[in-house]
């Protein structure tokens, strides 16, 4: 495995690290374009309304205003903003600008002006008369008889049942759960609720767009999906794809929020209208309700077990809301079933899901992609079953967990919005994740110590566990390509469409290439995520980049290696099979010790053979290998203030082979922090009119450096046959289970089950008061 | 629109800029191509726009440029000296403390101010110093480790190679702090 490698498995510095620590201009906003205008979007003040009259004349008359666009000025093309492979499984229910407003923050109009202040003033001068409609803010109300219809327009496509506000509906069953419940000794059914988390990348969404000297629309943008964005913008603005050029510079975090064509269409429309460069950047406030968030869900889960803990049936029914538009509606919710239920074996599984429209901010892709909701519910019920049966919660999981060699058929039924492919478990480190996680948290001793702690004092401690799995790319759909070119100094241009958004993809993919070619990492010149200069890639999502884009890079590098060896064979007059690439040279395997440096080889190729060594390759996988994770939390609950203090979070994760262990740990630590925030504090709260109450970092609390618990990250490395050098994925999975691990630890500490996240101090106090009464 | 002259020092260079009275320091610095000063929230909550004003970390989005008259400003662009990275920058790279890198300039500057006053900080002191810099990528562990490592490097540099033995004690202390985080 990794021990035989010289580049893979090493904690090398990021290839883009130097420019980031020195503050070099690298991000979308780090350019000045002559004549650049500032764009602003007028957000709807109403959750549900129709524009009866809109008058932009005063705004247009304001000196410095170059364009004001409303629905009257732009093409009406139904589309989805979800950055997914064509044909997108999300409904086409969104318009560049529309006469109907479906949430507070929906686009009323857009302006471009010489300064930001003028643009803001222009927004105030737009006169709008609304017919306000009844707003649906809660999942429970959306499907009720006589509820207002949010998508009553005739031209939207792909909505499951617009009249019932149902963006999507999913029903999949394996075996028969009712039979399973009948055969069970214990059946537990519970309801859970999850909150509206926001991605909060420190760099808000930003797009700068202009027409280049060939009249092509250039879009420099903070995106995870350059190629999908190009296709979608071309369709919406009715341009040929060849007239759109999307550039992804460095990105200041995305977490799924930038797997979305969000500002590119409207910025492009303003650039076309003014023929000037236009920039739109969301303010932090706008980011909270005009960008995307995690789908809130109500989950009903029913699990049946035998007395010995054997799982007999698992049934999950989910009511989710996608907000006003169905971005990622079906696929996020499909994941809540397909990547959650199968972690425990049973012949009887049923997953049903209603994805509703409400007049609330739009949900979308968010790290974990439906799994954090599902695992909060499932892992909480698993814990309750263990307590009821008097089993150790780890033992119950061990007894039922998916194993090496298993085939997960639920995944086959729940593909990317259509029938997918069965998932074969060909690498599985979950037993080791549990083993090493238990040791790291000192599970047995703390279970016993805290269980036997005498009540008294206001600080109570507990430990809890939760497990999860994820995927590595979307089977049969995700694909990416890479190309490589040799330069005369023995360096290589490595081009791929994959989108590094701070994840370290450029580094990890360069490590794969360097390993394959036997050269040092500094020989790689990486260019990524540019639709003119790099080949296609679906983009950064579904934990796909290392395994899918990395697979393409490895193939391209192997082709280059083949060519290099052929040329070296000629130069050294030895057969190809006697040659290997290593240490920036091609060397003989035999004791004759002949060698040629990459630099000399490149000169020979270029000036003697007159050949550009250059190759490309594409890659997709027929399966989505699952990474596995166990997370253990130790908490201290203050029964006087209700505060839950997480003392220690252990994450043991099977990611396949870690291409760069240090960066993999970083992914896990960051995901853990977001997962803890999801469980304990992060929630965009709406008032009774659908307006966000807390759209700022002051009122929407994330964990800061002082709030973080001790983190222990354990990389459990397995060798995945489908992964480049055995790699699976890491970026999403550790966000799935901090919330249930903490909730289970809280139960251990104070004997109260919390079935709604975030679990706030006031929830704890209320529950303790209730408990005291009984 | 620009009606005032601002005289200040940025990264050791005297600057004389025409500004408007209401201009924020963040906007003026970015206008002058100090792009390492990041815009994250414009309300002093995220710390991405942190610069050192006379050695103190300040959210440049909360300060009028005019208030910087006569001040010495340090941005991330001035941290690297003669093409050589600062030990903090080296440590951030070496410890994997940079992910997207958007909060990195602010973190490094907050840490630089801390180390100038407390060359041998505890882990808690480092966490306190970084509390004004939100990072959504790292979970803070690796940035904290990087700052502790940089503190050792600074001290080793300050005492010089001959006196390194004397600093062994304090080095051990930060080693211990590091262990406690893992």
């Amino acid at each position: 495995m990794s021990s035989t490698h010289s580049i893979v498995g090493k904690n090398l510095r990021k290839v883009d690290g130097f420019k980031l620590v020195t503050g070099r201009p690298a991000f979308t906003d780090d350019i000045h374009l002559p004549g650049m205008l500032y764009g602003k979007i007028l957000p709807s003040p109403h959750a549900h309304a129709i524009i009866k009259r809109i008058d932009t004349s005063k705004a247009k008359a304001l000196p410095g205003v170059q364009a004001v666009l409303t629905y009257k000025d732009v093409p009406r093309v139904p589309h989805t903003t979800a950055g997914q492979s064509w044909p997108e499984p999300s409904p086409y229910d969104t318009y560049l600008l529309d006469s109907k407003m479906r949430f507070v923050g929906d686009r009323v109009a857009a302006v471009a002006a010489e300064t930001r202040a003028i643009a803001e003033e222009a927004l105030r001068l737009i006169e709008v008369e609304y017919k306000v409609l009844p707003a649906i803010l809660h999942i429970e109300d959306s499907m009720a008889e006589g509820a207002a219809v949010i998508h009553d327009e005739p031209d939207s496509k792909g909505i499951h049942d617009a009249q019932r506000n149902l963006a999507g509906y999913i029903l999949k069953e394996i075996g028969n759960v009712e039979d399973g419940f009948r055969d069970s000794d214990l059946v537990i059914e519970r309801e859970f609720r999850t909150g509206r988390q926001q991605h909060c990348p420190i760099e808000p969404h930003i797009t700068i767009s202009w027409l280049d000297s060939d009249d092509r629309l250039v879009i420099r943008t903070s995106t995870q999906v350059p190629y999908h964005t190009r296709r979608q913008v071309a369709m919406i603005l009715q341009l040929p794809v060849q007239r759109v050029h999307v550039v992804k510079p460095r990105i200041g975090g995305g977490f799924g929020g930038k797997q979305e064509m969000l500002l590119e269409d409207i910025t492009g429309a303003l650039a076309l209208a003014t023929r000037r460069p236009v920039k739109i950047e969301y303010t932090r406030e706008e980011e909270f309700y005009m960008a995307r968030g995690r789908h809130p869900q109500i989950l009903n889960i029913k699990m049946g077990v035998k007395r010995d803990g054997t799982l007999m049936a698992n049934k999950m029914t989910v009511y989710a809301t996608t907000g006003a538009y169905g971005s990622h509606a079906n696929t996020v919710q499909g994941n809540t079933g397909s990547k959650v239920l199968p972690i425990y074996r049973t012949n009887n599984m049923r997953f049903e899901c209603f994805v509703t429209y409400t007049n609330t901010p739009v949900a979308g892709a968010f790290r974990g992609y439906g799994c954090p909701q599902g695992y909060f519910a499932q892992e909480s019920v698993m814990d309750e079953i263990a307590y009821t049966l008097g089993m150790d919660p780890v033992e119950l999981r061990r007894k039922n967990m998916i194993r090496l060699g298993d085939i997960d058929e639920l995944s086959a039924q729940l593909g990317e919005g259509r029938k997918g492919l069965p998932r074969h478990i060909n690498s599985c480190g979950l037993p080791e994740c549990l083993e090493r996680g238990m040791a790291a948290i000192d599970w047995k001793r703390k279970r016993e110590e805290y269980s036997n702690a005498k009540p008294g004092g206001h600080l109570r401690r507990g430990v809890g566990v939760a497990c999860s799995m994820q995927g590595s790319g979307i089977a049969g759909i995700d694909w990416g390509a890479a190309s490589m070119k040799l330069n005369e100094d023995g360096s290589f241009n490595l081009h791929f469409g994959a989108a590094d958004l701070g994840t370290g993809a450029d580094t990890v993919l360069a490590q794969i290439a360097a390993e394959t070619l036997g050269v040092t990492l500094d020989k790689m010149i990486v260019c990524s995520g540019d639709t003119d200069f790099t080949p296609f890639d679906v983009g950064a999502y579904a934990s796909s980049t290392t395994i899918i884009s990395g697979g393409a890079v490895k193939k391209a590098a192997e082709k280059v290696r083949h060519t290099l060896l052929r040329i070296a064979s000629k130069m050294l007059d030895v057969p190809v099979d006697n040659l290997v690439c290593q240490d920036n040279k091609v060397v003989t395997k035999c004791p004759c010790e002949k060698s040629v440096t990459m630099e000399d080889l490149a000169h020979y190729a270029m000036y003697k053979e007159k050949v550009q060594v250059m190759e490309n390759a594409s890659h997709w996988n027929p399966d989505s290998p699952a990474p596995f994770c166990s997370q253990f939390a130790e908490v201290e609950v203050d029964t006087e203030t209700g505060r839950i203090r997480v003392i220690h979070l252990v994450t043991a994760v099977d990611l396949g082979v870690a291409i760069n262990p240090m960066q993999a740990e970083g992914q896990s630590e960051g995901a853990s922090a977001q997962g803890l925030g999801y469980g304990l504090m992060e929630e965009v709260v709406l008032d009774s009119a659908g307006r966000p109450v807390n759209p700022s970092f002051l009122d929407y609390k994330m964990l800061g450096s002082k709030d973080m618990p001790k983190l222990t990250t354990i990389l459990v490395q397995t060798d995945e046959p489908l992964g480049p050098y055995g790699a699976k994925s890491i970026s999403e999975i550790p966000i799935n289970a901090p919330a249930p691990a903490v909730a289970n630890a809280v139960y251990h500490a104070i004997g109260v089950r919390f079935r709604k996240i975030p679990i706030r101090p006031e929830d704890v106090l209320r529950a303790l008061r209730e408990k005291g009464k009984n | 629109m620009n009606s005032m002259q601002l005289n200040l020092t940025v990264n050791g260079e005297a600057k004389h800029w025409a500004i408007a009275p209401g201009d924020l320091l963040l906007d003026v610095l970015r206008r002058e191509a100090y792009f390492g000063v990041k815009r994250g929230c414009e309300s002093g909550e995220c710390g991405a726009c942190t610069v050192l004003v006379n050695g103190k970390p300040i959210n440049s989005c909360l300060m009028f440029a005019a208030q910087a008259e006569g001040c010495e400003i340090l941005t991330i662009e001035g941290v690297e000296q003669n093409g050589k990275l600062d030990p903090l920058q080296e440590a951030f790279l070496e410890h994997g403390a940079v992910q997207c890198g958007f909060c990195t300039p602010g973190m490094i500057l907050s840490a630089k101010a801390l180390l100038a006053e407390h060359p041998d900080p505890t882990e808690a002191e480092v966490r306190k110093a970084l509390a004004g810099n939100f990072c959504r990528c790292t979970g803070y562990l690796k940035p904290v480790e990087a700052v502790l490592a940089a503190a050792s490097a600074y001290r080793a540099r300050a005492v010089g190679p001959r006196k390194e033995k004397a600093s062994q004690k304090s080095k051990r202390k930060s080693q211990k702090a590091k262990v406690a985080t893992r």
Side-chain angles (χ1 to χ4, degrees), chain A residues 13-14 21 24 29-30 32 116 198-199 284 502 662 665-666 670 674 682 697 703 705 710-711, chain B residues 30-31 38 40 42 45 80 89-90 94 98-100 127 130-131 136-138 140 142 181-182:
Chain A
R13 293 182 175 195
K14 277 169 79 87
V21 296
R24 299 282 200 275
D29 198 25
D30 298 348
H32 285 154
R116 185 171 153 182
Q198 222 281 333
H199 307 79
R284 181 54 56 186
M662 174 174 79
E665 283 170 13
Q674 279 180 329
E682 292 186 33
F697 284 145
L703 285 104
S705 55
K710 176 181 166 184
L711 294 178
Chain B
R30 287 191 62 85
R31 192 159 76 208
K38 299 299 181 199
E42 296 180 301
E45 290 153 13
E80 178 191 353
Q89 292 170 312
E90 291 283 354
E94 193 60 26
V98 182
Q99 285 191 29
C100 82
R127 286 186 179 270
L130 297 182
R136 193 59 159 165
C137 295
T138 63
Y140 305 98
K142 295 196 183 327
T181 63
R182 302 309 295 267

Side-chain angles (χ1 to χ4, degrees), chain A residues 378-610:
Chain A
Q378 179 168 289
E379 289 304 284
S380 295
V381 172
M382 282 295 280
D383 209 59
E384 195 170 344
I385 289 171
Y387 275 87
T388 311
L389 294 176
M391 277 180 88
D392 184 303
V394 172
E395 284 315 310
L396 180 68
R397 287 169 171 84
R398 274 195 182 132
K399 189 171 183 66
N400 291 292
M401 66 195 176
I402 197 165
R403 289 174 175 83
L404 194 67
D406 281 3
I407 298 173
D408 158 20
E409 292 289 349
L410 196 66
S411 285
Q413 295 210 20
L414 283 166
E416 177 84 341
R418 61 200 92 150
K419 196 161 164 49
L421 296 160
R423 188 140 66 145
H424 300 81
I425 307 300
N426 290 327
S427 61
C428 180
L430 188 53
E432 192 181 337
C433 290
L434 280 168
E435 199 61 45
R436 293 176 67 185
M438 279 170 85
I441 200 113
D442 201 0
W443 175 254
K444 290 220 159 104
R445 189 181 68 76
K446 285 184 175 157
R447 288 282 305 171
E448 204 175 308
E449 184 186 326
Y450 299 154
S451 298
N452 299 332
K454 291 196 180 69
H458 60 102
L459 300 175
R460 310 276 173 77
R461 287 196 175 194
V463 285
V465 62
C467 295
S468 73
M469 65 180 195
Q470 195 85 28
S472 303
I474 305 165
I477 291 181
D478 281 349
W479 72 279
S483 68
M484 289 194 80
K485 170 169 86 68
L486 173 68
N487 299 309
E488 58 214 296
D489 61 351
S491 67
F492 296 86
N493 291 103
L494 171 60
H495 291 196
F496 45 79
D500 188 332
L501 55 145
T503 45
D506 284 2
T507 306
V508 162
L509 299 188
Q511 281 183 256
I512 290 171
E515 178 69 44
T516 309
L517 288 168
V519 299
T520 45
L521 190 59
D522 61 317
K523 298 295 177 194
M524 292 295 151
I525 310 159
V526 176
C527 172
S528 60
D530 182 309
T531 59
D532 267 16
F533 300 114
T534 69
F536 181 87
D537 193 288
V538 290
Y541 58 88
S543 294
S544 64
T545 300
T546 302
I547 195 163
I548 298 291
S549 315
V553 166
K554 185 158 182 274
K555 277 186 190 171
E558 282 165 353
K559 284 166 118 176
V560 168
R561 186 176 65 197
H562 183 78
T563 309
L564 296 175
L565 295 183
R566 191 178 51 72
I567 296 169
S569 152
K570 217 172 183 182
M571 292 174 77
L572 299 171
D573 195 23
V574 292
V576 165
D577 54 14
N578 188 18
L579 292 169
V580 286
C581 293
Q582 65 183 47
D583 304 329
N584 298 321
K585 289 181 286 205
V586 178
V587 300
T588 53
K589 291 185 212 164
C590 68
C592 62
E593 290 186 356
K594 285 189 188 175
S595 71
V596 56
T597 64
M598 286 292 176
E599 188 173 355
D600 289 347
L601 196 157
H603 271 89
Y604 182 89
M606 292 174 78
Y607 299 111
K608 287 268 197 293
E609 292 230 321
K610 297 174 185 64

Side-chain angles (χ1 to χ4, degrees), chain A residues 637-701:
Chain A
V637 183
D638 187 328
T639 57
E640 285 176 358
T641 64
R643 184 174 174 228
I644 298 166
R645 185 167 74 91
V646 181
I647 298 166
H648 190 187
L649 183 74
V650 174
T651 300
V653 55
D654 160 21
L655 72 167
V657 168
I659 304 292
N660 186 320
M662 174 174 79
Q663 288 201 39
E665 283 170 13
Q667 287 295 308
S668 176
E669 288 154 8
S672 298
Q674 279 180 329
L676 287 171
Y678 184 52
L680 291 172
M681 56 189 73
E682 292 186 33
E683 184 175 30
V684 177
V685 179
L686 304 179
D687 70 9
S688 58
R691 291 172 301 220
V693 171
N694 58 338
S696 74
F697 284 145
L698 206 59
D699 297 319
Y700 179 101
K701 182 75 178 107

Side-chain angles (χ1 to χ4, degrees), chain A residues 74-95:
Chain A
V74 297
R76 183 175 169 86
V77 180
H79 64 271
T80 176
T81 58
Q84 300 176 299
S85 279
W86 182 88
E88 301 93 336
S90 299
Y92 279 21
D93 58 3
T94 309
Y95 302 85

Side-chain angles (χ1 to χ4, degrees), chain A residues 20-262:
Chain A
L20 296 175
V21 296
T22 52
R24 299 282 200 275
F27 293 86
T28 302
D29 198 25
D30 298 348
I31 54 167
H32 285 154
L33 292 173
M36 187 168 75
L37 302 171
Y38 292 79
K40 283 296 283 183
I41 296 166
L42 179 64
S44 169
H46 303 293
H48 202 187
I50 288 166
I51 298 176
K52 278 168 66 183
R53 189 182 66 85
I54 184 161
D55 182 352
T56 60
S57 54
K58 282 183 187 150
K60 280 180 177 156
L62 184 70
V65 171
Q66 297 300 337
V68 182
L69 299 179
T70 72
Y71 68 94
K72 295 173 188 168
D73 308 305
V74 297
R76 183 175 169 86
V77 180
H79 64 271
T80 176
T81 58
Q84 300 176 299
S85 279
W86 182 88
E88 301 93 336
S90 299
Y92 279 21
D93 58 3
T94 309
Y95 302 85
L96 177 53
L97 289 161
D98 199 357
S99 56
K100 188 173 185 192
M101 301 295 110
R102 299 180 180 86
F103 72 102
V104 173
D106 212 348
R107 292 175 182 174
V108 178
V111 304
E114 300 290 344
T115 68
R116 185 171 153 182
I118 297 171
E120 284 165 358
E121 178 61 23
L123 293 188
R124 285 189 281 273
L125 294 174
I126 298 172
E127 292 173 2
V128 196
E129 204 181 308
Y130 297 96
K131 180 188 174 196
V132 178
L133 303 171
I136 300 167
L137 301 177
H138 303 289
I139 296 172
E140 296 92 324
D141 302 335
S142 58
M143 288 158 42
E145 200 67 36
V149 176
I150 295 170
H151 283 278
D152 50 358
E153 67 281 357
D155 42 353
S156 286
K157 296 172 205 144
I159 297 174
H160 178 73
D161 184 349
Q163 291 308 309
R164 290 174 64 210
N165 290 318
L166 263 184
Y169 171 74
I170 302 162
L171 173 61
K172 296 294 171 198
E173 183 161 11
I174 285 173
N176 184 324
V177 285
E178 295 313 321
D179 288 350
F181 292 131
R182 212 172 304 121
D183 296 339
S184 299
D185 297 318
L186 172 69
V187 175
I188 290 185
E189 182 176 4
R190 297 286 181 256
E191 187 176 282
F192 295 84
R193 281 166 192 260
T194 65
R196 188 186 306 281
Q197 188 182 25
Q198 222 281 333
H199 307 79
C200 301
I202 307 301
E203 175 201 44
H205 284 79
I206 175 168
T207 301
I208 300 175
S209 183
W210 66 92
L211 287 164
D212 70 10
S213 48
D214 292 317
D215 240 13
R216 295 172 71 224
L217 189 68
V218 183
I219 298 175
R220 177 180 164 100
T221 187
S222 61
T223 184
Q224 298 173 219
V225 282
Y227 270 92
H228 294 332
T229 296
R230 179 179 71 164
R231 190 189 69 239
Q232 291 172 321
V233 168
M235 181 179 86
I236 295 162
L237 299 181
Q238 301 186 322
L239 297 169
V241 164
Q242 76 174 66
R243 275 196 61 204
V244 182
H245 174 194
V246 176
V247 181
K248 178 211 74 79
R250 290 301 90 190
I251 303 303
F255 317 110
K258 294 173 181 172
Q259 192 200 338
E260 198 82 13
M261 192 284 310
L262 193 66

